[in-house]
Each structure stands twice: as C-alpha cells, then as structure tokens.
Amino acid sequence: MKVLLIFLCYIFSTASSPIQDYLYHRQQLITESSNAAVGSDINFTENELMANEIVMQYKYMEMEDGFRNPDRFIAGNSFFEAKDLIEKSCVYKILQLLPKGGNLHAHGRGAVSSEYIYRNLTYRDNLYVRTSDLHIFDFKFFKSDPGSPWMLVSKLRLISDEFDIKLKKKLTIVRTQSEMENDTINSIWERFEKAFGIIKPLLTYKPVFEDYYYQCLLEQYEDNNKYIELRIGLETLYDLDQRQYSAYEKIQILQDISQKFRKDHPDAWGMRLILCVNRNAGTEEMNNTLKIVQQLMVEYPGFVIGFDLIGQEDTGEPLLSHIPTLLKAKENNMKFFFHAGETKWYGEPSDLNLFDAVLLNSTRIGHAYALLKHPKLLHLVKERAIALEINPISNQVLGLVKDLRNHPSSYFIANNFPVVIASDDPGIWDGKALSYDWYYTFMALAIAWKKKIKQKC
Amino acid sequence: MKVLLIFLCYIFSTASSPIQDYLYHRQQLITESSNAAVGSDINFTENELMANEIVMQYKYMEMEDGFRNPDRFIAGNSFFEAKDLIEKSCVYKILQLLPKGGNLHAHGRGAVSSEYIYRNLTYRDNLYVRTSDLHIFDFKFFKSDPGSPWMLVSKLRLISDEFDIKLKKKLTIVRTQSEMENDTINSIWERFEKAFGIIKPLLTYKPVFEDYYYQCLLEQYEDNNKYIELRIGLETLYDLDQRQYSAYEKIQILQDISQKFRKDHPDAWGMRLILCVNRNAGTEEMNNTLKIVQQLMVEYPGFVIGFDLIGQEDTGEPLLSHIPTLLKAKENNMKFFFHAGETKWYGEPSDLNLFDAVLLNSTRIGHAYALLKHPKLLHLVKERAIALEINPISNQVLGLVKDLRNHPSSYFIANNFPVVIASDDPGIWDGKALSYDWYYTFMALAIAWKKKIKQKC
C-alpha cells in the first residue's frame, strides 16, 4: 500500500516523463513475463472475468496477509500442519467448487481417504486380523473363524482402545513437527510402504474392493473432479468362498464400477487404468506383466491405457535395468506413463530415469521433480508436449521439499509446460481427492498478480 | 554398481542391436544435456584432466555413499549441522586448495570469521561495553574509563563467564535443530540484524577497522581466493582521541589496506568496494549517498565500483520506492549491483525487485533466488550476461531453502547462466571465506556425472 501511494504520488505530483516511461516499461515487462505462463492464452467470457476477479481478490488477501506475517502463510507450511487451516480458507472453498477436469496421477491404494478406510472398511463383518512378519496389521475376511492367530476385529475392539489407536496412527504417515525432525526420505518411505501394507489385503476382498473404488470416484466427484486415472497392480481378488478373481476379472470389475458410477452420476467421466508392477520386479515378472497389460489394452480399449513402474526411485531399480523388456514393449506400441525423477539427486540413477522416460516415449511423466536440472530434456518435454504429472503435497510429505514455494513446478507453470495437477496418494497423508493439491498449486506455485484461474488440464 | 553390471551384461551377452542403439542414444542425450552447463566448453590440459579425474573420484565416492544412505549425505544437511563433517571431507579439502578467482558478494561486517571477532577484536585494550536500547552489547573504545553505564570488557570477563557465553551465542545465528523448529524468515532476520548490531560499533574504531579488513583479505587468501568485492556502508570511524574519519577517509583507509595486503602478498588482487545504504533510507539520505558514491567512484576509479541497497527485501522498501532517485543515478552512469529476488515469494514486491534490477541495468544481481519464476527475465539475464551472485549457505541459513539440492541455481548452472559463487556473510553463521559455499555448490547444485571442475568466475 505504501508503495502504491509513493507510486501514485510520483506520477501525479512530478509528472516526470522518465518515471512514467519507466513504470510503463516495467508493467510491460511484467506482463510479457507472466504471459508465458500456463493459462495466459485463454480468453475469458464476461462471467468468467467476474469470477476470476473474485477468486483473485481472495488470493491477494491471503497472500498479502502471509507476506506481512510469514508464519501465517498457510501454503508455506507442511500439509500436516496446514490441513485444518486450508479447509477454512475461502480460496480452498472456491477451488473445491471449481471443475478440476481430471486427476491423472493417483495410485489405487492411496486414492481414498483414510477416514473411509478406517470407518467403513475396518468395521465390516467377517474381518479378521493377525500380525505377520511383514505387517503390524494383516487383515483378511473369513466366512467363519479360522482360529489362531487370526482374531475377529470387532471382538478386538471390545477388549481395548489400543487396536484402534495404533491402526489410525499406522494407516497414514501423518506426524507432528517434532516427530518429523529425524525423518529421512528413506524412513518416510518405509512408513509409507507400511501404510500400503495395511491397506493392500483389505482391498483384495472383492466386496470391499468394489465399494472402495466406487468411493474413490465419489470422493473425486464430490470434490468436483469427474475423472481419474488410477495406477493399479495385477493382484488377484478373493471372496468369502475363497474364490480367486484373476487380473482380467479384476479389470472387468473396475470397468463395471466405472460404468455404474457414470450411470448414477451422468455428468461423471469415470476412471481409466494404468497398470503397474514394482520397479524391483525380476525380468520374468516384468515380461509377464507387460504381456498381460498388452492383452488387457486390446480387451479393454480406452479403459486400460498403459503401463508404469512403482516403488521408491532412489532405492529401487532404475528404468535402465529393464531396458530390454521395455524396449520390446515399446516396439509393440505399449503406452508408458513412467514415474521419473521423483528425487532431489542430480545425476544419480533415479534422476537419470528422466532420460529413459523421454527416450521410451513416455506419454506423460510422473513427478519429473528433477527435470529442471536437464536443459535438453526440458526442451524435448516441451517440444513433444509430454505432460508432467505434478503432485505437490506428495513431494512435500515424502520429503523432497519443505516449502512448496521452492517446488520446481513454478518454473514449469511459468513457462507454459504441459502440466497436470494430481494427488498421488492423498489417503496416506490424511488428504482427500484433489482440491488440497490445487490449493498449494494456486497459492504456492503460481504467480500472485492477476492471472487467470481457468487452467488446461 | 548393480546397474552397471546388468548394463554390461546386456551389451556383451545379447549383443542386441536395438539395446546397443538405445544405450548409445541415451549416452548422447545425457552428454548433450550436460554440455549446456557452466564450464562444459572449457578445454583441459593433460594435467588438468588428471586433476579433474581425482576430484571427481572423491565426489562420486561421497555422492554414492549419500545416495545409499541419505542421512549421511553431508551437502543435504544444514550448514549448522554439516560444518564439522564438511571439514573432514576430501572434496572440501581439495576445494580449499583450488584457486577460486573471486568472492563477488560479501558484506564488510559479515565477511570475517566470528572466531576472529571474538578472540581478537573483543580482547582489545580500551574496549568498553554497555547495554543500549537497541543492542545487548553496545561496544565502544575509550582512552580512559568514561564511567557508568560503560564497563571495561576485560574487567567484566573477570567477574563471570556469563558475558562470554552470551556474546559468543549472539555473535552468530548458529542454532541447534530444535531451536530452529519455530524459526520464520523474519525471526531469523531479526537475529541476523542483532549480530550485525554487535559487530558494527566494534568496526567503527579505526585500529580495529584496519585490522579487521586486513584479516578479511587474509582469510580469503588463506582459502585460495585472491579477490573480494565488499559491500560497505558510509558510516564514519573514530579513534581514541575521538577524531572522526569521514566516508572519504574511510575509503582511503580501505584502499591503503588493500594495497598493503597486495604488497605483503604479491599474488593477491585485494579488494574493491560496492557502497551501500539501507533500503529503508529516506529520499534525502538516498540522494546524498548516491552523490557521495558518484564522487568516490571518480576519486577512487577501479576501487569504488558501484552501489547497492541492503536489508531484508521481504520486509523492506522495494527498489520501486526509490525509482526517481535510482533513475537519476542511472542517467549519471551509476553502476548498480542490486540485491534482488532474495525471497520465496512470487509476485510480491521483493520478487518484483528482479524486474527493477534488470530495468535499471544492474551490472550483476545479488541472490536472484526468485529469478527462475520469470521467463522473460531469465532470457534477458542470459542475453545481457548479467552475472548472478549465488550465495548457497546464506540462502539456507536465512530460511529460503532447507536442502540445497532444491536451490534454483542448479538450473542456472545447468543452463550456463553467468553465475558467481559468493559467501554473503559467513562470519554471521560461523563460516569462513569461500570454500564452504563452493563445497555445497559442487556437491548439491552441480551435476554428479563427469564434469569439469574448472569454472568461470
């Protein structure tokens, strides 16, 4: 405000032409620079202009308050600390109402809120639990009591609160600030994998699987996102009669869920699948999975859309390890949607995955956090319009960046790279759907001065 | 290693041409991308090639160990935690030996180690202290006891250890990890300014001033840096007879120190000065300072080289507030070396300082941390070869970025922007000279694969 006053004062009192010239050129340069950004070439209708004005007012208010009081700036904080404040933010409430197009990077097991998993799935009949070598909670559904070491969850709950307290804690990676002090990327990933380890066996039970993926679409829909592309593995399902459902049957079940959801919500677009295997899989498993994916893409055209490798990049096998298999699949026109460069390292195998993702013609790139450091790849990504799947909160809670104002996507967005905002695994960090990620994108990654909110997805 | 084995195994066992082709193209793309970086166009002599091999071996060893054990990666940690480990690193020891060309962004009062300030300057005869409204320690030299509230420092030391414990703590902004938990950028800057507040009155005493700036050149020289450009204010000096030395006399004293140092060390290049005023100065002070700087540039050509504004950008007046004065100075061919964009914000006044720095033809830009977010400015900076003064540790300890692998300079270095590595205020964070910043640059900001260490400065 003070600046503005001085500013106007100069213009009107001195009427000095060099100063006016300067301010004119300055404004031109600012406009020219911001015109290179995502969304700046979109024309607004009159109503859209008005709506944009309102949203930007709220954004300015929140930004200005934060600029003056940095500790109050919500989007400068970790999601674990900021979540409750985000929900009170008018910007967030508007972003929730905004049609968000699609969520193009989400993993099946992490796509639904932990609240639903806890309150709905773990309160089902016939749910038993034991402690296995791998997992604190190893869940399974049985028609009748299978005996020790299995225990009926509902009975366990009657004995003490301990089970629920522990379960709630382990279902997500949410931590207090002091708990996070000694976190390393690898220790966070360990907790992350453990949470998946609890959820995975719940979801292999067919009735739960069906309800869960319907809920997945519903949570997105209620957040005004009508479409999701889910990364899914090929694990089989079972029911109370211990019947196994193959990967093929599982895909059919998911297609049925998507169609049912679209029938129930005619303006929804449902889901599509990117099938995955762990990056540490051996050559045989990798080959077999790719063959199955290839067949499924033929049987479910436009529903099964491609292939990806999952698991931590820094500690796992790089794409380079699987080149013969992946090259063969590429020759057979496989569509890749590779995670690549989800790392802070520079020149290590996880970072070099970006080169393989580009060379293997990945349709999009998941995360691409390290891309900024590779000039030639930046050029190719833009030239070939390889969309970058940006997952702001995921990158933060998994230890890549603390303050999202330092996230490399600011560069991608400022330079009109093809970007999509996605959620990765919101269920694992007590998030939900897509609006939290849009909030961080809008408040921490995109420019503060008047810009258009209508985005390409 | 595992990757390399699989790699070679593929090549020699299958001799598959598509795989060999792929690996060949991959290597080409990696080389092409890294050839865009700073230093990649420098040709090595045979000896330089050998030296480079050795340095890179040490770098790989440290990188590989860190990649496998992220908590052990020194350059991924805060300087406060990493300092002792850096000193043990072979990479650091080599970088210390390396001729570093120059340190082009350092502030007079922060350029010398706190150890020297504490052990040498505060143990001088005739040093008195009192507590003022502004400072915990307000130092002044007197010929004889001026009486209360002044107390002789040497006497105070005899009474208890408390004085020294407190002084040592307040001379730097070094903090433990748990102390840092609730830091905000503004609270860090408050401590930072307070440390300067202790040092400033010590340095206005002429004999101390002279020794301090000789020591400044010596610390750089012993760190194999032969040249420094110091940001200096125009405050006057005094001696025991309470004679005042004007800004002009002060510049003469500095030139004498520089010349004396060059005489004592014939291969040293001495210092040059960039004169500064606080960004919150009023129009009159700003005008007066610029007039004096203009005169000093005439009287000390090639020694006083230009002008800058100092103080926190986020909380202080932006360049825009001073446009009439600065424009006038620009017309009179003033050389600017502006701090600009030392901020995480995007579109706020501190970020927009970058536009003014470029429009006012700043010879170099200090920090330019936020530059990455402005496509048009990035283009102009490269086109006009405006050097960016990168201060890695400063940006970290002053709260812009936690892990320096996320520092935007990776982009500038990867894209051959004109960059210089500088130290800002190492004395204030228990650093010294320039090699610590080179260490972080080499280990966290520059690429890991074989690259040349010889840099442009």
Side-chain angles (χ1 to χ4, degrees):
Chain A
M1 199 59 196
K2 191 177 166 195
V3 174
L4 191 67
L5 287 174
I6 295 168
F7 203 144
L8 293 173
C9 177
Y10 286 148
I11 295 176
F12 295 109
S13 68
T14 68
S16 161
S17 158
I19 296 170
Q20 281 178 324
D21 277 2
Y22 180 87
L23 296 176
Y24 175 75
H25 287 304
R26 184 182 194 271
Q27 195 47 53
Q28 267 195 323
L29 191 58
I30 292 176
T31 307
E32 207 178 325
S33 210
S34 64
N35 275 351
V38 167
S40 53
D41 54 346
I42 296 173
N43 291 321
F44 276 176
T45 66
E46 209 165 304
N47 278 344
E48 285 172 340
L49 261 178
M50 275 166 60
N52 184 58
E53 278 295 316
I54 294 166
V55 184
M56 293 310 283
Q57 291 292 347
Y58 282 110
K59 173 165 177 168
Y60 298 147
M61 276 166 56
E62 212 172 302
M63 290 286 289
E64 285 309 306
D65 183 54
F67 186 62
R68 272 165 237 288
N69 310 284
D71 50 331
R72 285 221 297 253
F73 184 59
I74 305 169
N77 283 315
S78 139
F79 180 65
F80 300 156
E81 290 170 310
K83 190 192 166 201
D84 293 346
L85 297 169
I86 293 174
E87 285 162 12
K88 286 176 196 146
S89 150
C90 290
V91 172
Y92 176 73
K93 285 171 189 162
I94 295 169
L95 290 174
Q96 275 195 304
L97 295 172
L98 197 79
K100 277 166 286 284
N103 186 353
L104 306 191
H105 185 118
H107 297 266
R109 289 176 208 147
V112 173
S113 63
S114 58
E115 201 193 329
Y116 178 81
I117 294 174
Y118 170 73
R119 286 196 189 281
N120 186 315
L121 304 191
T122 78
Y123 275 84
R124 301 264 169 144
D125 292 341
N126 304 102
L127 180 60
Y128 290 78
V129 71
R130 65 170 181 178
T131 300
S132 76
D133 290 345
L134 281 172
H135 307 301
I136 311 150
F137 302 105
D138 190 17
F139 288 111
K140 196 163 183 182
F141 290 87
F142 293 99
K143 211 171 192 170
S144 58
D145 193 340
S148 173
W150 295 100
M151 288 172 289
L152 193 63
V153 168
S154 55
K155 271 194 187 163
L156 209 55
R157 284 200 161 108
L158 291 175
I159 300 167
S160 94
D161 291 339
E162 206 189 313
F163 169 79
D164 269 343
I165 292 166
K166 208 167 177 181
L167 175 62
K168 272 188 204 167
K169 176 89 185 163
K170 300 284 180 187
L171 261 183
T172 71
I173 58 167
V174 175
R175 307 247 281 171
T176 63
Q177 208 176 335
S178 62
E179 280 176 324
M180 283 188 285
E181 213 175 81
N182 295 316
D183 275 344
T184 68
I185 285 200
N186 290 6
S187 68
I188 302 171
W189 268 84
E190 257 176 52
R191 286 206 310 284
F192 184 56
E193 301 280 10
K194 275 186 185 157
F196 279 126
I198 297 172
I199 297 163
K200 182 179 169 179
L202 283 168
L203 297 188
T204 52
Y205 178 54
K206 184 172 171 270
V208 158
F209 181 86
E210 288 167 331
D211 291 354
Y212 175 92
Y213 282 100
Y214 192 93
Q215 174 71 15
C216 171
L217 292 174
L218 188 65
E219 287 187 3
Q220 298 291 327
Y221 184 82
E222 286 173 352
D223 196 45
N224 286 299
N225 172 41
K226 293 176 180 172
Y227 174 63
I228 190 164
E229 286 183 10
L230 285 169
R231 257 88 168 169
I232 294 275
L234 292 179
E235 305 80 6
T236 55
L237 307 180
Y238 72 98
D239 62 19
L240 282 188
D241 299 320
Q242 298 301 323
R243 194 198 136 186
Q244 295 289 313
Y245 297 80
S246 70
Y248 294 87
E249 287 173 296
K250 183 166 132 177
I251 302 305
Q252 183 60 50
I253 291 166
L254 283 167
Q255 197 179 46
D256 292 345
I257 293 166
S258 181
Q259 283 169 357
K260 180 176 178 344
F261 191 85
R262 292 178 68 179
K263 213 174 146 195
D264 297 346
H265 307 84
D267 58 336
W269 309 337
M271 67 170 83
R272 280 182 178 157
L273 307 182
I274 295 162
L275 301 183
C276 298
V277 70
N278 192 288
R279 62 180 64 258
N280 295 327
T283 308
E284 201 183 325
E285 188 182 354
M286 194 64 69
N287 275 324
N288 287 343
T289 309
L290 271 158
K291 266 183 213 150
I292 298 170
V293 177
Q294 217 117 25
Q295 286 167 19
L296 286 167
M297 284 176 75
V298 173
E299 281 181 47
Y300 295 93
F303 185 64
V304 173
I305 61 169
F307 176 76
D308 188 11
L309 300 178
I310 56 162
Q312 189 182 0
E313 281 185 78
D314 284 347
T315 55
E317 288 296 326
L319 290 173
L320 185 64
S321 298
H322 303 294
I323 284 304
T325 310
L326 298 175
L327 269 185
K328 226 181 286 165
K330 180 175 171 255
E331 278 161 33
N332 293 327
N333 298 314
M334 174 52 72
K335 295 267 179 229
F336 297 129
F337 296 82
F338 288 130
H339 282 73
E342 185 185 3
T343 185
K344 279 189 280 199
W345 291 99
Y346 189 12
E348 294 288 354
S350 44
D351 172 37
L352 294 179
N353 278 337
L354 283 164
F355 285 88
D356 296 292
V358 168
L359 284 166
L360 292 166
N361 281 349
S362 196
T363 303
R364 298 193 303 262
I365 301 177
H367 298 284
Y369 187 87
L371 181 65
L372 198 62
K373 298 170 183 177
H374 302 296
K376 182 69 188 170
L377 289 186
L378 275 173
H379 177 75
L380 289 176
V381 159
K382 197 159 188 194
E383 189 182 60
R384 296 186 192 166
I386 304 170
L388 308 175
E389 300 162 355
I390 309 300
N391 304 281
I393 300 175
S394 168
N395 294 158
Q396 185 193 62
V397 298
L398 292 176
L400 288 185
V401 57
K402 203 180 169 205
D403 186 329
L404 281 167
R405 286 173 290 181
N406 286 325
H407 194 285
S409 297
S410 282
Y411 176 88
F412 305 142
I413 293 168
N415 285 277
N416 201 13
F417 272 67
V419 293
V420 291
I421 307 305
S423 69
D424 212 3
D425 301 291
I428 308 290
W429 40 82
D430 193 26
K432 195 174 182 178
L434 193 51
S435 291
Y436 294 114
D437 283 286
W438 273 66
Y439 176 80
Y440 274 104
T441 304
F442 191 55
M443 293 303 296
L445 302 178
I447 209 152
W449 58 75
K450 304 217 172 192
K451 284 242 51 74
K452 298 159 184 175
I453 193 180
K454 199 166 153 185
Q455 301 266 347
K456 289 177 199 166
C457 288
Chain B
M1 200 56 198
K2 190 177 167 194
V3 174
L4 189 66
L5 287 174
I6 295 168
F7 202 143
L8 294 173
C9 178
Y10 285 150
I11 295 177
F12 295 109
S13 68
T14 68
S16 158
S17 158
I19 296 170
Q20 280 178 324
D21 277 1
Y22 180 87
L23 295 177
Y24 176 75
H25 286 303
R26 185 182 193 270
Q27 195 46 52
Q28 267 195 324
L29 191 58
I30 291 176
T31 306
E32 208 179 324
S33 210
S34 64
N35 275 350
V38 166
S40 52
D41 53 347
I42 295 173
N43 292 320
F44 277 176
T45 65
E46 211 165 304
N47 278 345
E48 285 172 340
L49 261 178
M50 274 167 59
N52 184 59
E53 277 296 317
I54 295 166
V55 183
M56 293 310 283
Q57 290 293 348
Y58 282 110
K59 174 164 178 169
Y60 297 149
M61 275 167 56
E62 212 173 303
M63 289 287 288
E64 286 308 307
D65 183 54
F67 187 63
R68 273 165 236 288
N69 310 285
D71 50 332
R72 285 221 296 253
F73 184 59
I74 305 169
N77 283 316
S78 141
F79 180 64
F80 300 156
E81 291 169 310
K83 191 191 165 201
D84 292 346
L85 297 170
I86 292 174
E87 285 162 12
K88 286 178 196 145
S89 150
C90 289
V91 172
Y92 176 73
K93 287 172 188 162
I94 294 170
L95 290 175
Q96 274 194 307
L97 295 173
L98 198 79
K100 279 166 284 287
N103 186 352
L104 305 190
H105 185 118
H107 297 266
R109 288 176 207 148
V112 172
S113 62
S114 58
E115 201 192 329
Y116 178 80
I117 294 174
Y118 171 71
R119 288 196 188 281
N120 186 315
L121 304 190
T122 78
Y123 274 84
R124 301 261 170 147
D125 291 339
N126 302 102
L127 180 59
Y128 290 79
V129 71
R130 65 171 183 180
T131 301
S132 75
D133 289 345
L134 281 172
H135 306 302
I136 310 150
F137 302 105
D138 191 14
F139 288 111
K140 198 165 181 181
F141 290 86
F142 293 100
K143 212 170 190 170
S144 57
D145 194 338
S148 176
W150 295 100
M151 286 171 292
L152 192 64
V153 169
S154 54
K155 270 194 189 162
L156 209 56
R157 284 198 161 110
L158 291 174
I159 299 166
S160 92
D161 292 339
E162 207 187 313
F163 169 79
D164 270 341
I165 293 166
K166 209 167 176 182
L167 176 62
K168 272 189 205 168
K169 175 91 186 162
K170 299 286 180 186
L171 262 183
T172 72
I173 57 167
V174 176
R175 306 248 280 172
T176 63
Q177 207 175 337
S178 62
E179 279 176 325
M180 285 189 283
E181 212 175 82
N182 295 315
D183 275 343
T184 67
I185 284 199
N186 291 6
S187 68
I188 301 172
W189 267 85
E190 259 176 52
R191 286 206 311 283
F192 185 55
E193 302 279 10
K194 276 186 184 157
F196 280 126
I198 297 172
I199 297 164
K200 183 180 169 179
L202 283 170
L203 298 188
T204 52
Y205 178 53
K206 184 173 170 269
V208 158
F209 181 86
E210 288 167 331
D211 292 353
Y212 175 92
Y213 282 101
Y214 192 92
Q215 174 72 14
C216 171
L217 291 174
L218 188 64
E219 288 187 2
Q220 298 291 327
Y221 184 81
E222 288 173 349
D223 197 44
N224 285 298
N225 173 41
K226 293 177 180 169
Y227 174 63
I228 190 163
E229 286 184 11
L230 286 169
R231 258 89 169 169
I232 294 274
L234 293 179
E235 305 80 7
T236 56
L237 307 180
Y238 72 98
D239 62 19
L240 281 189
D241 299 320
Q242 299 300 322
R243 194 198 136 187
Q244 295 288 314
Y245 296 80
S246 70
Y248 294 86
E249 288 172 295
K250 183 165 131 177
I251 303 304
Q252 183 60 52
I253 292 167
L254 283 168
Q255 197 180 42
D256 292 345
I257 293 167
S258 181
Q259 282 167 357
K260 180 177 179 344
F261 191 86
R262 291 179 69 180
K263 214 175 144 193
D264 298 345
H265 307 83
D267 58 335
W269 310 336
M271 67 170 82
R272 280 183 178 159
L273 308 182
I274 294 162
L275 300 183
C276 299
V277 69
N278 192 288
R279 63 182 63 258
N280 295 327
T283 309
E284 203 183 322
E285 189 184 352
M286 193 66 69
N287 275 323
N288 288 343
T289 308
L290 271 158
K291 266 184 216 153
I292 297 171
V293 177
Q294 217 114 26
Q295 288 168 17
L296 286 168
M297 284 175 74
V298 174
E299 282 182 45
Y300 295 93
F303 185 64
V304 173
I305 60 169
F307 176 75
D308 189 11
L309 300 177
I310 56 163
Q312 189 183 1
E313 282 186 76
D314 284 347
T315 56
E317 287 297 327
L319 291 172
L320 186 64
S321 297
H322 302 293
I323 283 304
T325 309
L326 298 176
L327 269 184
K328 227 180 288 165
K330 179 174 171 255
E331 279 161 31
N332 293 328
N333 298 314
M334 175 52 72
K335 295 267 178 229
F336 296 130
F337 296 83
F338 287 130
H339 282 74
E342 186 185 0
T343 186
K344 280 189 280 200
W345 291 98
Y346 189 11
E348 294 289 353
S350 43
D351 173 38
L352 294 179
N353 277 338
L354 284 165
F355 286 87
D356 296 292
V358 169
L359 284 165
L360 291 165
N361 281 347
S362 196
T363 303
R364 299 194 301 264
I365 301 177
H367 298 283
Y369 187 87
L371 180 66
L372 197 63
K373 299 170 181 175
H374 302 295
K376 182 69 188 167
L377 290 186
L378 276 174
H379 177 74
L380 289 175
V381 159
K382 198 160 187 193
E383 191 181 60
R384 297 185 192 167
I386 304 170
L388 308 175
E389 300 162 355
I390 309 300
N391 305 281
I393 300 174
S394 169
N395 294 158
Q396 184 194 62
V397 297
L398 291 175
L400 288 185
V401 58
K402 204 181 168 205
D403 187 329
L404 280 167
R405 285 173 290 180
N406 286 326
H407 194 285
S409 297
S410 283
Y411 176 87
F412 304 142
I413 293 169
N415 285 276
N416 201 13
F417 272 66
V419 293
V420 290
I421 307 306
S423 69
D424 213 2
D425 301 291
I428 308 290
W429 40 82
D430 193 25
K432 194 173 183 179
L434 194 49
S435 291
Y436 294 114
D437 283 286
W438 273 66
Y439 176 80
Y440 274 104
T441 304
F442 191 56
M443 293 304 296
L445 301 178
I447 209 153
W449 57 75
K450 303 216 172 193
K451 283 245 48 77
K452 297 160 184 173
I453 194 181
K454 199 167 153 184
Q455 302 266 344
K456 288 176 199 168
C457 288

